[in-house]
Structures are given as C-alpha cells and as structure tokens.
Amino acid sequence: MRLTLEPGGDVAALVRGATGDSRVVVIPATLDALAMAQARAAIGPLAIESAPATRVNAVVPAEGAHAADVEAAVAFLEQARSTTGQVIEIHQRQR
C-alpha cells in the first residue's frame, strides 16, 4: 500500500493506521530538514515493529524527480517480499 506523508504528518501513525502486508511511505522532499530526518529514521524501527507480517519501506523523491521513477520504486518495494526497512532515494534525471 502506498502511503504519502503530508507536511506535519506523523509517519508512525500513518504506517500503524494502514492495512496490508506492504506499506511504502512516500516522504516528500518538501519537508523541512528535521521532519525529513525523523521520517527517514522511523522507517527501520517501524519495519522491525511490524515484522514479520508487514513490510515497511520508503521512497524519498528529490525535487524534480519524475513521477514515473517514483511509481517504479514504489511498485518494486511492493513486490520485493524480502525487503523491509529500506529507504530508496529518487534523484532528478541527468540531461
């Protein structure tokens, strides 16, 4: 399940309130530095808390990242049954 963290949102509450065996949190690049650090740091502990029934991962798209690249990363994590606690960064494509 794809989850999007909103500015001011609580990543732990977002993950804990969702259903399904896979939760992929999209952490927007527009968060301030502290909120970004907190969200990224929470993924590993949330994955441990949720295991083995649920996998928790995250995707962090940089400003200017293509939506198709973000969706591909989310789809990969949804299907990667042995992957949990990971954060994938999506950077802007080079021209």
Side-chain angles (χ1 to χ4, degrees), residues 9-94:
D10 179 354
V11 69
L14 181 66
V15 168
R16 290 176 183 143
T19 59
D21 64 348
S22 175
R23 298 171 193 166
V24 180
V25 181
V26 177
I27 303 171
T30 55
L31 295 181
D32 63 68
L34 178 59
M36 175 68 74
Q38 289 173 328
R40 292 173 63 108
I43 298 303
L46 286 167
I48 291 168
E49 174 186 302
S50 301
T54 303
R55 295 175 291 115
V56 178
N57 295 290
V59 175
V60 181
E63 289 188 46
H66 288 116
D69 295 338
V70 175
E71 292 308 315
V74 169
F76 168 76
L77 290 170
E78 284 281 337
Q79 299 303 315
R81 299 222 177 264
S82 62
T83 303
T84 191
Q86 300 302 303
V87 178
I88 296 178
E89 294 185 33
I90 306 297
H91 296 279
Q92 185 175 5
R93 293 182 191 173
Q94 298 295 321

